[in-house]
Amino acid sequence: MSSAKEKLIVALDVDTIKEAESLVARLQDYVGIFKVGMQLFNSEGPEVVRRIHRLGGRVFLDLKLHDIPNTVGQAAGVLTRQGVFMYNVHIAGGSEMMRKAVEMTIREAEESALPLPLVIGVTVLTSINQSILENEIGIARDIETQVVKWARLAKESGLNGVVASPKEIRAIREACGRDFVIVTPGVRPAWAGVNDQKRVMTPKEAVQAGASYLVVGRPITGAADPVEAAKRIVDEMEEGLQC
Ligand code: C5P
């Protein structure tokens, strides 16, 4: 498995197991991880995770947990039992919530003899701009400063890494070190449309900036030939890794 392939996460933003399985079956030779988000999980439930595992794929369960520490901790235990490779929580839930998620993940992985999933924190969503951050959420700080502050808090709380926009990779890498996992959506090859993503980078640029994993959805799942699109993206990432 090439290291570029291992770093590529495809977002399965579809409604049904049938569509998801068809994409996994076609793409798994070129893609390391499949992301199941709230659309697919709320539609099909944990069965979709079992099906992807049965096809040999690894799963990033993107449910962005955010609740009181006990509730998130219990959910973290359940997700760990499903054998996912990675799942995420909102850093805005605070350090006690994140610590509880990590504690229950470790406990469940030990009890079930399952691999320990990576626990990733969501920083500031890429759909939030400066005005929303200040006037609606009430955080009077520039976005990058807030993202780095939250990334440090996630690290101190025992999380393995964060989800962040490509533009914030360098600052997070500097603050949190080389082993900290940075998962980056908002990736667009030069040949694909940007859709509703606002602050994008190419796969090569994102890898060069220090991303650990790239999340790509529509440029692959919406392509006329998803396999060809995935191959091209892996090739671009490979180029970035060699620079
Ligand atoms: O199709 P596209 O490549 O834009 O898909 C990106 C995926 O990453 C979607 O599943 C989206 O929900 C997710 N995501 C994002 N920005 C964030 C967090 C998650 O685009 N800040």
Side-chain angles (χ1 to χ4, degrees), residues 72-127:
V72 167
Q74 299 301 328
V78 170
L79 302 192
T80 303
R81 220 177 301 143
Q82 290 173 16
V84 300
F85 175 74
M86 179 189 287
Y87 77 87
N88 56 8
V89 302
H90 269 288
I91 299 170
S95 62
E96 192 190 335
M97 186 204 79
M98 290 189 276
R99 285 183 199 284
K100 196 72 188 170
V102 172
E103 179 196 321
M104 296 301 280
T105 297
I106 293 170
R107 186 185 300 176
E108 189 59 48
E110 277 171 6
E111 283 174 8
S112 313
L114 281 164
L116 202 56
L118 295 173
V119 188
I120 303 297
V122 178
T123 57
V124 178
L125 293 172
T126 43
S127 52

Side-chain angles (χ1 to χ4, degrees), residues 14-202:
V14 293
D15 276 352
T16 65
I17 284 182
K18 198 166 169 245
E19 292 165 279
E21 277 188 320
S22 152
L23 282 165
V24 173
R26 294 168 74 188
L27 291 169
Q28 67 169 338
D29 287 343
Y30 312 96
V31 171
I33 301 157
F34 295 93
K35 182 170 91 68
V36 175
M38 55 179 82
Q39 179 186 354
L40 183 56
F41 196 81
N42 283 319
S43 170
E44 297 281 18
E47 179 61 18
V48 72
V49 176
R50 285 192 283 274
R51 299 281 191 99
I52 296 169
H53 285 159
R54 214 177 292 158
L55 287 168
R58 289 187 292 177
V59 174
F60 167 21
L61 202 45
D62 178 20
L63 299 180
K64 300 185 178 70
L65 306 180
H66 189 176
D67 209 313
I68 60 171
N70 181 63
T71 304
V72 167
Q74 299 301 328
V78 170
L79 302 192
T80 303
R81 220 177 301 143
Q82 290 173 16
V84 300
F85 175 74
M86 179 189 287
Y87 77 87
N88 56 8
V89 302
H90 269 288
I91 299 170
S95 62
E96 192 190 335
M97 186 204 79
M98 290 189 276
R99 285 183 199 284
K100 196 72 188 170
V102 172
E103 179 196 321
M104 296 301 280
T105 297
I106 293 170
R107 186 185 300 176
E108 189 59 48
E110 277 171 6
E111 283 174 8
S112 313
L114 281 164
L116 202 56
L118 295 173
V119 188
I120 303 297
V122 178
T123 57
V124 178
L125 293 172
T126 43
S127 52
I128 303 291
N129 61 22
Q130 194 63 45
S131 152
I132 300 175
L133 188 71
E134 284 184 36
N135 303 322
E136 297 182 16
I137 304 178
I139 297 176
R141 228 178 251 119
D142 75 82
I143 291 181
E144 186 174 296
T145 308
Q146 184 61 29
V147 167
V148 170
K149 181 181 163 67
W150 268 345
R152 285 186 203 275
L153 183 69
K155 189 177 178 191
E156 284 161 20
S157 307
L159 264 58
N160 302 98
V162 292
V163 185
S165 119
K167 306 286 179 189
E168 287 133 17
I169 297 171
R170 286 187 199 280
I172 296 169
R173 199 42 84 227
E174 218 165 275
C176 298
R178 37 180 287 220
D179 294 335
F180 200 59
V181 172
I182 304 176
V183 179
T184 310
V187 176
R188 287 292 180 270
W191 42 267
V194 293
N195 310 110
D196 53 352
Q197 294 286 7
K198 296 200 170 55
R199 303 196 307 138
V200 301
M201 270 192 189
T202 66

